[in-house]
Amino acid sequence: MTTIEPQVLDLGNEPDPLAFPPTLRLGAATAAFQIEGAVHDDGRGESIWDRFCATPGAVANGDTGEPACDHYRRWESDLDLMAELGLECYRFSIAWPRVQPTGRGAANAAGLGFYRRLAEGLLERGIEPIATLYHWDLPQALQDRGGWGERDTAQCFAEYAAIVAGELGDCVSQWITHNEPWVVAFLGHAHGTKAPGARHWPTALRASHHLLLSHGLALQALRATLGELAQVGIALNQFPIHPAGHGEADRDAARRMDGHLNRWFLDPLLRGSYPADMLACYEALYGPPDSIRDGDLALIRAPIDFLGVNYYNPQRIAAAPTDLPLQARQVPAPPPTTAMSWEVDPAGLHEVLLRLRRDYGPLPVYITENGASFDDPPATNGHVDDPQRTAYLQGHLAALARAVADGADVRRYCVWSLLDNFEWEQGYDKRFGIVHVNFDTQTRTPKHSALWYRNFIAKVRAGGER
């Protein structure tokens, strides 16, 4: 294993705690399938990720979401750990199959009860709950009926949102409808690397629209159930896109990739229309979209209270005429990189935040995910030294401070992730957590990055009443 010393990352000085306004809360994030385990307990239904994990070759080492971090049984001690780290907010996701095992019909009381205890436990410890309704674990029964490729799934999602809001609305005020709908639509339905493992671009495009439509319908349901009590947004993965070379072909390819990754979701949500250049790109191969109906874009464009931003890395794009439909490809990232081979570039976070303000207006932003996987050493005598991740957090929080100084309205920052966990098709090989998890014993050990983050939060708090 190669250890990268923090100074090799050259991420700048430690961020100034006084640069963080009192309205900006610092916390961490997780997702249900990645940490909960207990996939057969208390009436939980099968999800598409349970089915995907059972597909030979789909997940590294044949790993599954059982037991993950066993959080379903260890949630109280995990909340105590969050409190010890001084977290001000915690973003978690709700497993749809725990609430509605088949994605339809009456709620499963045991599943709802778990999330109520979790939210109440957070409040008791002075930690703000931020609930994500969908982090990729569609009930398999809905997938059997066509999943996100079918319009009816959007209506089912709205009904699920209303059920959850009715149960948790008095203890959760911060809501995220979807996490990274681009991943669900395109990695799940065009590239096949994530559940449900489909490889069909027309279905991926339909899924992308139905995901956005379901956001609009869920937003409507949350407003109807909770009124002004609810702060509602959506979390999008955002990438700075740079041409790999100086030629016009690479610049055009970068524009198309930006349209595909970023604008395909930002524009309908914040402008009420899909980007014309990308509609033309897709229509040239697949014909006019058959999923967009009158009134859909008005629903999708309904005002949100904040935009969630998941930032990890920029992409460098080269022209690739045979790579359809985008005729573009990502080139390998220059060093330094993470264990995922993702470029480490804190300046990209500043770039994303200022681009959003410039192109889409002064909408409040939550950084809903930001973090890195590195090849950490094992826990030794209750200690895990992860200098690369500590430097990563320092650099990105410093970039966030610069963005705030330059006018970005950022209200939350959530490290990804609180715990080492099940990293989707990578299984348990990739560790993003600021807390080490021994998956054999389920022992939690805060890494050096967690201890640094705890101390930094304390310094920020000392700068003013939060």
Side-chain angles (χ1 to χ4, degrees), residues 14 73 90 122 134 144 184 234 242 277 279 291 310 322 368 385 396:
E14 184 167 319
R73 300 180 183 89
Y90 173 57
L122 288 164
Y134 188 77
D144 292 342
V184 178
I234 185 171
H242 303 142
D277 60 330
L279 283 171
S291 56
N310 293 358
T322 61
T368 38
D385 189 23
H396 284 77

Side-chain angles (χ1 to χ4, degrees), residues 191 201 248-258 260 277-278 280-282 284-286 317-331:
H191 300 287
W201 269 86
E248 184 178 352
D250 282 3
R251 289 196 299 271
D252 287 345
R255 176 186 50 76
R256 288 191 296 275
M257 188 64 76
D258 177 64
H260 172 63
D277 60 330
M278 298 313 299
C281 174
Y282 296 139
L285 285 175
Y286 309 121
I317 303 300
T322 61
D323 289 3
L324 298 176
L326 301 176
Q327 297 181 298
R329 62 177 175 85
Q330 184 180 2
V331 302

Side-chain angles (χ1 to χ4, degrees), residues 92-413:
F92 62 95
S93 79
I94 295 166
W96 190 350
R98 284 203 194 280
V99 175
Q100 288 180 298
T102 65
R104 296 172 177 268
N108 172 28
L112 276 176
F114 168 71
Y115 295 110
R116 182 163 193 89
R117 291 190 298 275
L118 183 69
E120 290 176 342
L122 288 164
L123 292 175
E124 289 166 3
R125 292 162 176 82
I127 303 169
E128 176 188 56
I130 304 174
T132 301
L133 288 169
Y134 188 77
H135 201 128
W136 307 353
D137 44 1
L138 185 74
Q140 180 62 41
L142 289 182
Q143 182 61 39
D144 292 342
R145 301 168 67 99
W148 291 112
E150 292 295 322
R151 188 179 180 91
D152 186 54
T153 303
Q155 187 59 53
C156 291
F157 183 70
E159 293 166 4
Y160 154 69
I163 289 171
V164 176
E167 175 62 22
L168 302 184
D170 62 333
C171 52
V172 176
S173 63
Q174 307 293 317
W175 297 86
I176 294 168
T177 55
H178 281 282
N179 182 75
E180 298 183 346
W182 178 85
V183 170
V184 178
F186 295 101
L187 296 188
H189 295 82
H191 300 287
T193 55
K194 285 184 165 60
R199 298 177 185 271
H200 188 248
W201 269 86
T203 300
L205 290 166
R206 285 196 300 275
S208 70
H209 179 69
H210 294 151
L211 285 156
L212 287 171
L213 176 64
S214 75
H215 156 79
L217 292 169
L219 175 63
Q220 195 176 62
L222 290 166
R223 299 275 193 237
T225 305
L226 303 176
E228 297 304 314
L229 295 176
Q231 297 287 298
V232 186
I234 185 171
L236 304 180
N237 47 326
Q238 290 291 286
F239 300 91
I241 303 297
H242 303 142
H246 300 292
E248 184 178 352
D250 282 3
R251 289 196 299 271
D252 287 345
R255 176 186 50 76
R256 288 191 296 275
M257 188 64 76
D258 177 64
H260 172 63
L261 289 171
N262 297 324
R263 291 183 287 114
W264 188 251
F265 293 90
L266 287 170
D267 280 18
L269 285 163
L270 301 176
R271 292 176 173 168
S273 61
Y274 285 101
D277 60 330
M278 298 313 299
L279 283 171
C281 174
Y282 296 139
E283 287 178 17
L285 285 175
Y286 309 121
D290 59 3
S291 56
I292 304 172
R293 299 183 185 176
D294 289 346
D296 285 1
L297 287 165
L299 275 171
I300 293 168
R301 174 62 181 86
I304 53 178
D305 299 297
F306 63 89
L307 178 68
V309 169
N310 293 358
Y311 173 73
Y312 289 97
N313 59 287
Q315 290 196 11
R316 297 167 188 263
I317 303 300
T322 61
D323 289 3
L324 298 176
L326 301 176
Q327 297 181 298
R329 62 177 175 85
Q330 184 180 2
V331 302
T337 59
T338 70
M340 300 288 288
S341 298
W342 296 347
E343 181 176 352
V344 177
D345 181 23
L349 177 58
H350 180 274
E351 181 181 346
V352 160
L353 292 173
L354 290 212
R355 184 261 178 102
L356 289 172
R357 183 174 177 83
R358 181 190 70 237
D359 293 353
Y360 295 96
L363 182 69
V365 169
Y366 291 11
I367 307 299
T368 38
E369 293 182 21
N370 176 236
S373 172
F374 291 106
D375 294 325
D376 303 324
T380 304
N381 298 322
H383 180 74
V384 177
D385 189 23
D386 62 337
Q388 312 101 300
R389 187 174 292 102
T390 304
Y392 181 100
L393 294 180
Q394 291 171 343
H396 284 77
L397 284 164
L400 173 57
R402 292 194 301 274
V404 170
D406 289 338
D409 183 9
V410 181
R411 308 284 182 89
R412 303 291 186 276
Y413 173 87

